[in-house]
Amino acid sequence: MKVLVIGGGAREHALCRSLSLDPDVTALYCAPGNAGIAEVAELLPVDPLDGDTVARLATDLGAELVVVGPEAPLVAGVADFVRAAGIPCFGPSGEAAQLEGSKAFAKDVMAGAGVPTARSYVCTTPAEIDTALDAFGAPYVVKDDGLAAGKGVVVTDDIEAARAHALACDRVVIEEFLDGPEVSLFAITDGITVLPLQPAQDFKRALDGDEGPNTGGMGAYSPLPWADPKLVDEVMETVLQPTVDELRRRGTPFSGLLYAGLAITSRGVRVIEFNARFGDPETQVVLARLKTPLAGVLLGSANGTLDLLPPLTWREDAAVTVVIASHNYPGTPRTGDPIEGLADVEAQDAPHAYVLHAGTRTEGDAIVTAGGRVLSVTATGKDLTQARERAYTALGRIRLDGSQHRTDIARQAAEV
C-alpha cells in the first residue's frame, strides 16, 4: 500500500523506519518530514495543521493510508478531513483527540469511565487557583488545560512557581501529586477493539537524576524489568478498554493510538494523562521491539478491523533511546548548528544502533539543527545493559556544538 505520514519529528522517523521495513508498503511519503526521514521516505511540503491541504495531498498521491503523527494536527481535526476524502486514516477525530487537547475533558471522560486518576480541580480564576493549591499542598501539580508540546506541566514544591504557571494559563487543572514510578502504555484501537503495546518508561527532566526543568522527553527504554508482569492486563481492564468504551458511548469513538501515562502508586495504578498519539521518545523503543509489520495494524485501526488481526508479536530484545538536545533546550533552542558523525554510526553501529532525527534539516550537503530535541540515538540488545552500552557508544560518535543529553537513561532499570 501507499502510505503518507504527517509530521516531522523523531516519532515520525520511527514510524517511517518501521513502515519502510514492511514488505506491504510499496510507496512511503512524509510531509513535511526531516533530514533523516528523507533516507526512507519521499518528503513533501505541507502545513500539517491544514486538514484540507493534507487531504488533497493524500488524494493526489493515491495514498491508501494516512498516519497523522503529532497531537496538534489531530486536535485540529486533520484526520476528519482525510476520512472525508475517503482515505483510511490512523488517528482520532478532532473531537476524540480532545482527550489530549483538554485535560479537563480527559478528567470528565475518566470520571464517566470509572478510570482511576488523581483528584483534581479545573480552575479559571485566581481565587479558584489559590483554593486548589491550598487543598492539595506540596508538591504542587499544575497542568495547562490545552496542548503545550510536553511542557505545560509544572511539578514543584514552590507555591509561587506553581501559582505563576497557573495564572499564565487560560484554564488550568490542579491535581494531587501521584507518588511512584511512571509508565507509558500505548494501545492501538479502532474504537472497539484495543491492542496494547509493550510498556515503556521515559525521562521528562532535562538533567541526570531527574533534575532540571520538564522537557518533551530526554530518553526511554523498554521492557520494564521491575514492573508487575500483570501490569498490561490490569491497565487494559481498568483504563484502556473502559476509556474507549466511554468515548464510544458518548458518540465520539476514538480510533488510533491511545497513550496512557500512568503512575504506579502505593494505592495502585493511576492515570496521569492521556495522549491521542504515539509518544516521543517512547515510540522509538516500542517500535524497535515490535516484530509484527506495522502497516497492517495501523490500517486495521483505520478500517475498524483490528479484531481480525492475529496477536502482535514482539522481539525479546531490550531497547534504549537517548535524546540529543540542542544548546539551551528546553528554553529557546539554538538552531543551524552542523551535526557530524552520523555516517560513523551507520558504518560502525548498525543494525543494533541507529539515529532517528527530530529537529534537523539539510543545508547544502550538511545536516544542521532545526529544533530543541535534535536526535534520538536508539539501540537494541539482549538486555537493557547491552542496549544502553550500544546507544551511548553510538551517541559518542556524534558531534554537535553545545548539545546536551542525559547519561543515566535506563541505568537503574538495567541494574534490576
Side-chain angles (χ1 to χ4, degrees):
M1 71 182 93
K2 294 181 178 178
V3 182
L4 169 64
V5 176
I6 302 300
R11 162 188 45 229
E12 286 74 39
H13 194 174
L15 287 164
C16 285
R17 180 181 182 274
S18 290
L19 290 166
S20 74
L21 298 172
D22 188 330
D24 287 338
V25 176
T26 54
L28 182 58
Y29 309 95
C30 187
N34 63 40
I37 295 174
E39 296 175 11
V40 294
E42 181 181 340
L43 301 192
L44 298 161
V46 80
D47 176 357
L49 297 174
D50 186 336
D52 198 38
T53 302
V54 170
R56 255 201 324 274
L57 174 63
T59 301
D60 292 345
L61 292 172
E64 292 151 290
L65 173 66
V66 174
V67 179
V68 182
E71 60 272 25
L74 290 168
V75 172
V78 167
D80 300 291
F81 283 88
V82 174
R83 278 191 274 269
I87 301 169
C89 186
F90 180 81
S93 66
E95 201 174 354
Q98 288 302 311
L99 199 63
E100 177 169 4
S102 168
K103 303 284 191 301
F105 176 77
K107 287 288 188 183
D108 190 56
V109 170
M110 283 188 266
V115 167
T117 187
R119 292 178 299 121
S120 63
Y121 292 97
V122 179
C123 307
T124 56
T125 69
E128 289 173 346
I129 288 167
D130 287 339
T131 299
L133 292 173
D134 290 342
F136 290 128
Y140 304 99
V141 181
V142 184
K143 300 180 176 182
D144 190 333
D145 181 55
L147 294 180
K151 287 173 278 195
V153 179
V154 165
V155 181
T156 179
D157 288 326
D158 182 342
I159 191 167
E160 292 309 321
R163 183 180 285 116
H165 182 65
L167 291 170
C169 305
D170 289 335
R171 186 159 76 151
V172 68
V173 174
I174 296 173
E175 62 184 38
E176 68 175 326
F177 177 76
L178 296 174
D179 64 323
E182 295 185 13
V183 173
S184 301
L185 185 60
F186 302 164
I188 292 173
T189 178
D190 56 12
I192 299 174
T193 302
V194 181
L195 292 183
L197 306 187
Q198 290 291 304
Q201 185 175 58
D202 78 330
F203 295 76
K204 284 280 189 278
R205 298 284 186 172
L207 307 176
D208 284 6
D210 290 328
E211 299 289 332
N214 261 351
T215 71
M218 296 299 290
Y221 68 92
S222 178
L224 312 182
W226 50 267
D228 187 328
K230 298 174 185 170
L231 176 65
V232 173
D233 291 340
E234 179 186 348
V235 175
M236 267 291 292
E237 185 180 331
T238 63
V239 175
L240 297 170
Q241 192 71 57
T243 299
V244 169
D245 292 345
E246 172 68 11
L247 284 163
R248 187 174 70 253
R249 186 189 69 76
R250 290 173 177 231
T252 54
F254 186 106
S255 72
L257 195 290
L258 178 58
Y259 165 148
L262 309 165
I264 313 301
T265 77
S266 54
R267 294 168 295 147
V269 173
R270 298 288 186 273
V271 175
I272 300 169
E273 64 176 356
F274 282 126
N275 290 331
R277 39 71 194 179
F278 279 102
D280 183 342
E282 301 98 319
T283 301
Q284 289 87 301
V285 292
V286 173
L287 292 186
R289 300 186 60 223
L290 179 65
K291 190 185 288 187
T292 301
L294 183 61
V297 183
L298 303 187
L299 185 64
S301 165
N303 284 340
T305 56
L306 282 182
D307 61 320
L308 304 179
L309 297 182
L312 299 177
T313 57
W314 297 90
R315 298 182 178 89
E316 292 296 315
D317 285 359
V320 172
T321 193
V322 184
V323 170
I324 299 178
S326 55
H327 177 76
N328 200 43
Y329 179 79
T332 303
R334 191 172 76 198
T335 60
D337 288 322
I339 304 165
E340 299 176 333
L342 295 170
D344 298 338
V345 176
E346 176 67 29
Q348 298 182 59
D349 301 290
H352 301 300
Y354 49 90
V355 180
L356 299 168
H357 291 230
T360 68
R361 59 182 169 84
T362 53
E363 201 170 85
D365 293 333
I367 294 177
V368 302
T369 60
R373 289 187 296 172
V374 180
L375 304 168
S376 286
V377 182
T378 305
T380 56
K382 67 179 188 294
D383 54 26
L384 287 174
T385 298
Q386 186 178 53
R388 279 192 88 244
E389 288 170 355
R390 286 172 169 174
Y392 280 106
T393 296
L395 183 148
R397 305 190 202 283
I398 295 170
R399 298 175 297 284
L400 172 59
D401 184 52
S403 69
Q404 54 179 313
H405 66 273
R406 283 184 57 160
T407 66
D408 62 348
I409 303 301
R411 179 189 288 155
Q412 277 187 301
E415 294 168 356
V416 171

